[in-house]
Amino acid sequence: MVAIAQSPSALNLELTQTQALCFDQFFEHRSEDGRYELVDGRMVKILATREHYDTAALIQKNFEQEIDRLKLNYVVNNVAMVLTTNKNQQEQGRPPDVSVINRDIWRSDRLNYQGIREPIQVAVEVVSSNWEDDYIDKLNEYEQCGIPEYWIVDYLALGSRSYLGYPKQPSIFVFTLDIDRKYKFIRFQNAERIISPTFPQLNLPEPNLPEINLTVEQVLAA
């Protein structure tokens, strides 16, 4: 998603220019005129194309099908606001394009609108023109807060060649925490089936269960 550094109202503009907001203050002053995130103490408006939303929706649909089919203890949505911290240990509020959350955590306080402070299971970000946010900032934040699985969906091949190869190709990266709680990743391209530790049967069918193959090409065709 593209984040635009503008505040939702004149009152909030004055506030964000004079003080850095923490996670709780962000919810107190957030406007309802669009989607916002908390970045380095400021409210930042999020804009995305329809293609961006369609790509995220396809992934969310596949996750939902697996959760329902296997009766997994997760919920999946695109509205969760997750508490992270930046490299200066300043609180951030990140809304992944797709979030997979432990059902017990999500339902522990269903009247709460203050966001999620525990690590979610999977965060998916669909890359936009500000690709460094997903490849660098959010990668570091999600690793630091302990999100076990993080997808970067670079359907426009906007990232650097060090990630995408030469020539650059649309790719999906699945990052997982190792025993040292550091991310390692696998890059998937073209017709390769995407392997998810959280949803292994997307690629590895169990006996007597239908095979579900989510490939990079299918995501790109959303």
Side-chain angles (χ1 to χ4, degrees):
M1 292 176 288
V2 176
I4 298 179
Q6 66 180 55
S7 300
S9 68
L11 175 62
N12 285 328
L13 177 61
E14 181 180 354
L15 174 65
T16 54
Q17 287 178 335
T18 57
Q19 70 178 71
L21 300 178
C22 69
F23 193 59
D24 288 337
Q25 290 171 329
F26 167 73
F27 289 96
E28 293 174 9
H29 299 284
R30 185 176 57 171
S31 173
E32 299 299 325
D33 68 345
R35 298 187 67 196
Y36 292 84
E37 62 183 338
L38 176 65
V39 182
D40 300 334
R42 298 188 63 189
M43 281 183 288
V44 177
K45 191 168 187 176
I46 297 170
L47 295 177
T49 65
R50 295 176 185 177
E51 185 177 24
H52 181 115
Y53 287 127
D54 285 346
T55 301
L58 176 65
I59 295 170
Q60 180 172 332
K61 179 180 177 180
N62 275 266
F63 287 171
E64 289 171 339
Q65 289 175 339
E66 279 295 88
I67 291 169
D68 291 342
R69 187 173 71 91
L70 300 178
K71 297 179 171 55
L72 302 175
N73 193 42
Y74 296 122
V75 297
V76 57
N77 62 51
N78 62 356
V79 298
M81 183 69 65
V82 180
L83 171 65
T84 67
T85 55
N86 63 15
K87 61 184 178 181
N88 297 319
Q89 299 305 303
Q90 188 175 24
E91 291 186 344
Q92 310 273 80
R94 297 294 194 179
D97 289 308
V98 182
S99 296
V100 178
I101 309 160
N102 182 288
R103 188 182 302 273
D104 297 333
I105 292 175
W106 179 256
R107 295 191 170 182
S108 61
D109 186 359
R110 299 179 77 177
L111 298 180
N112 188 342
Y113 60 87
Q114 296 295 327
I116 297 177
R117 293 180 174 273
E118 299 88 347
I120 64 175
Q121 177 64 27
V122 183
V124 177
E125 298 289 359
V126 179
V127 178
S128 296
S129 57
N130 55 339
W131 61 268
E132 295 94 338
D133 286 356
D134 300 318
Y135 278 97
I136 300 174
D137 297 339
K138 293 178 185 178
L139 175 69
N140 292 334
E141 291 172 29
Y142 292 161
E143 179 185 75
Q144 184 171 312
C145 76
I147 294 177
E149 186 173 337
Y150 172 41
W151 289 31
I152 296 178
V153 181
D154 197 344
Y155 69 106
L156 295 176
L158 296 172
S160 70
R161 290 189 177 91
S162 62
Y163 282 100
L164 300 174
Y166 186 85
K168 296 199 295 184
Q169 297 185 53
S171 304
I172 294 176
F173 299 86
V174 177
F175 291 80
T176 55
L177 291 175
D178 62 18
I179 59 174
D180 297 319
R181 300 185 65 79
K182 297 294 184 182
Y183 275 145
K184 59 181 180 180
F185 72 86
I186 301 177
R187 181 183 67 187
F188 301 94
Q189 296 177 331
N190 301 315
E192 293 177 336
R193 296 184 297 177
I194 304 164
I195 299 173
S196 165
T198 301
F199 302 107
Q201 291 181 26
L202 285 171
N203 305 286
L204 301 176
E206 292 292 323
N208 303 318
L209 288 176
E211 182 174 1
I212 298 177
N213 299 324
L214 181 62
T215 70
V216 177
E217 288 178 342
Q218 289 172 329
V219 173
L220 299 181

